[in-house]
Amino acid sequence: MASKNVLAELKDFADCIQTNASLAPFTQLKMGGPAEVLILPRTLDELSAVLKRCFDQQLRFRILGSGGNVLVHDEGVKGIVLRLAAPAFTQISTNGSRLKAGCGATLAAVIANATHHGLAGLETLVGLPGTIGGALLLNAGDRTSDIGQFVRRVEVLDNQASVQMREHDELRFTSTGTILDDPVLLSAEFDLEPERPESIVKRLRKSWIQFKATQPFSYQSAARIFKNPAGLNAAVLIEQTGLIGTKVGAAIVSDRNPNYIVVEPGAFARDVLRLIDLIRTRVHERFHLELELAISVW
Ligand SMILES: Cc1cc2nc3c(=O)[nH]c(=O)nc-3n(C[C@H](O)[C@H](O)[C@H](O)COP(=O)(O)OP(=O)(O)OC[C@H]3O[C@@H](n4cnc5c(N)ncnc54)[C@H](O)[C@@H]3O)c2cc1C
């Protein structure tokens, strides 16, 4: 049940609020408890007003994209979870070689739109679950390219809930994410390369095959768990501990890529957390290294 004071502070937004709302359908692992309050703002003004209220009343909030990088505790999440799923936040448009996308749009939709308009560059991200917001924050990609290299500007809500534009020179994308620390990413503009859609589709097919080869594809629910330590590969380290295939409850270390945990139906977040602890302990015992979580635990 949502605590009375949170709901009282949000009573003006009753039309876009759900209490005790299940988050499992909105995460890739499809597990975990409910959000105390889930808000789906319908317009930028509504989002900005909610955010302002959160700041003024010191209410904790989080933004959920497509939950590719989030593990929700079985007990659920206290406070507010915001989803930018309304059309106001998922629009995609092109102008010459520039593509603009709302941060609630999925990578899949953006890649499809870019391909349709003959704009190349984002092909290596094909298959990756995620919204533009989550992908920007984590600088999603593989070893060959990442989303950050195509970003020209990002529109955000700052910590006064005001719209700001972060230009190319202020953005720095690294192998683990970005320095953007604004509370909400609203939209991004990408500079892409004009190319014949047929040639882009050919590359997309190739990238898709390569992506699938590294994925635990026979499981619907999976998550990439650890960051690669500097100069090392987390999957290789985990493989060398002999934990491939190890199962805790219904959570399993993937044999396709040991840096993924895959889950069978009926798994709990606590199974995944226990498996994470086991992997970290074994890697530490063997290599004296602390694996850092890539996934956020809510
Ligand atoms: C099977 C599988 C394979 C994957 N493979 C890869 C891979 O090859 N390469 C890779 O880089 N990643 C990979 N990932 C991780 C993940 O898919 C990506 O990092 C993705 O970009 C996360 O986007 P999301 O929308 O799901 O973000 P979420 O998981 O929903 O959120 C991630 C973080 O971003 C924040 N956030 C989301 N949207 C916004 C916003 N609009 N404003 C502010 N903050 C926001 C959230 O609060 C959270 O802190 C994989 C994940 C899975 C499940």
Side-chain angles (χ1 to χ4, degrees):
M1 272 306 226
S3 52
K4 273 197 192 135
N5 61 336
V6 175
L7 281 182
E9 296 299 348
L10 295 169
K11 62 178 185 312
D12 317 351
F13 306 105
D15 287 354
C16 58
I17 283 185
Q18 295 167 30
T19 55
N20 207 25
S22 174
L23 293 179
F26 308 125
T27 68
Q28 300 299 322
L29 279 168
K30 308 274 177 257
M31 59 168 61
E36 188 179 8
V37 175
L38 177 64
I39 307 187
L40 290 119
R42 291 159 297 183
T43 62
L44 175 55
D45 285 348
E46 198 164 54
L47 170 62
S48 172
V50 168
L51 213 63
K52 198 155 184 343
R53 185 69 51 84
C54 291
F55 292 141
D56 291 347
Q57 302 303 324
Q58 300 185 345
L59 305 174
R60 171 135 202 223
F61 70 90
R62 305 162 198 259
I63 316 281
L64 183 63
S66 65
N69 220 50
V70 170
L71 170 62
V72 178
H73 275 114
D74 295 319
E75 296 72 30
V77 182
K78 281 263 169 247
I80 297 160
V81 174
L82 284 153
R83 288 190 67 230
L84 308 186
F89 308 108
T90 58
Q91 272 161 24
I92 305 168
S93 59
T94 56
N95 182 4
S97 61
R98 206 158 264 205
L99 180 147
K100 182 177 180 190
C103 281
T106 61
L107 278 168
V110 170
I111 293 170
N113 193 295
T115 307
H116 178 73
H117 287 95
L119 293 175
L122 300 174
E123 299 82 81
T124 58
L125 302 177
V126 71
L128 234 154
T131 57
I132 291 298
L136 286 177
L137 204 84
L138 304 163
N139 193 20
D142 64 7
R143 282 196 205 109
T144 57
S145 94
D146 55 56
I147 193 166
Q149 72 192 79
F150 303 100
V151 178
R152 283 302 152 258
R153 55 205 321 226
V154 178
E155 187 188 24
V156 302
L157 281 178
D158 68 8
N159 48 23
Q160 313 286 321
S162 303
V163 176
Q164 303 287 347
M165 198 58 90
R166 305 293 177 215
E167 298 293 341
H168 182 61
D169 338 342
E170 304 171 67
L171 307 169
R172 190 156 53 81
F173 292 94
T174 67
S175 59
T176 51
T178 164
I179 54 162
L180 272 175
D181 60 356
D182 291 292
V184 183
L185 311 184
L186 289 173
S187 69
E189 287 180 32
F190 301 91
D191 257 348
L192 301 173
E193 273 303 308
E195 199 181 323
R196 284 173 50 244
E198 304 75 50
S199 323
I200 303 176
V201 168
K202 265 192 199 152
R203 265 204 314 285
L204 274 175
R205 286 209 188 100
K206 207 170 145 203
S207 292
W208 174 255
I209 291 165
Q210 280 166 355
F211 177 77
K212 278 292 167 190
T214 62
Q215 298 297 306
F217 68 94
S218 54
Y219 292 84
Q220 273 305 307
S221 310
R224 203 171 60 142
I225 303 297
F226 298 106
K227 293 181 182 168
N228 287 324
L232 297 168
N233 183 316
V236 172
L237 297 174
I238 299 167
E239 185 177 0
Q240 289 177 15
T241 62
L243 282 175
I244 287 179
T246 301
K247 191 169 175 181
V248 171
I252 308 163
V253 179
S254 167
D255 55 1
R256 250 317 171 76
N257 181 333
N259 194 19
Y260 283 77
I261 288 180
V262 294
V263 297
E264 291 174 336
F268 290 98
R270 59 179 173 274
D271 299 336
V272 176
L273 289 167
R274 280 173 52 211
L275 195 49
I276 288 174
D277 274 350
L278 177 64
I279 298 170
R280 275 182 146 163
T281 306
R282 289 284 179 81
V283 167
H284 188 260
E285 280 168 5
R286 175 121 196 227
F287 303 106
H288 306 289
L289 263 173
E290 290 293 343
L291 283 180
E292 198 185 331
L293 278 183
I295 198 165
S296 303
V297 182
W298 287 10

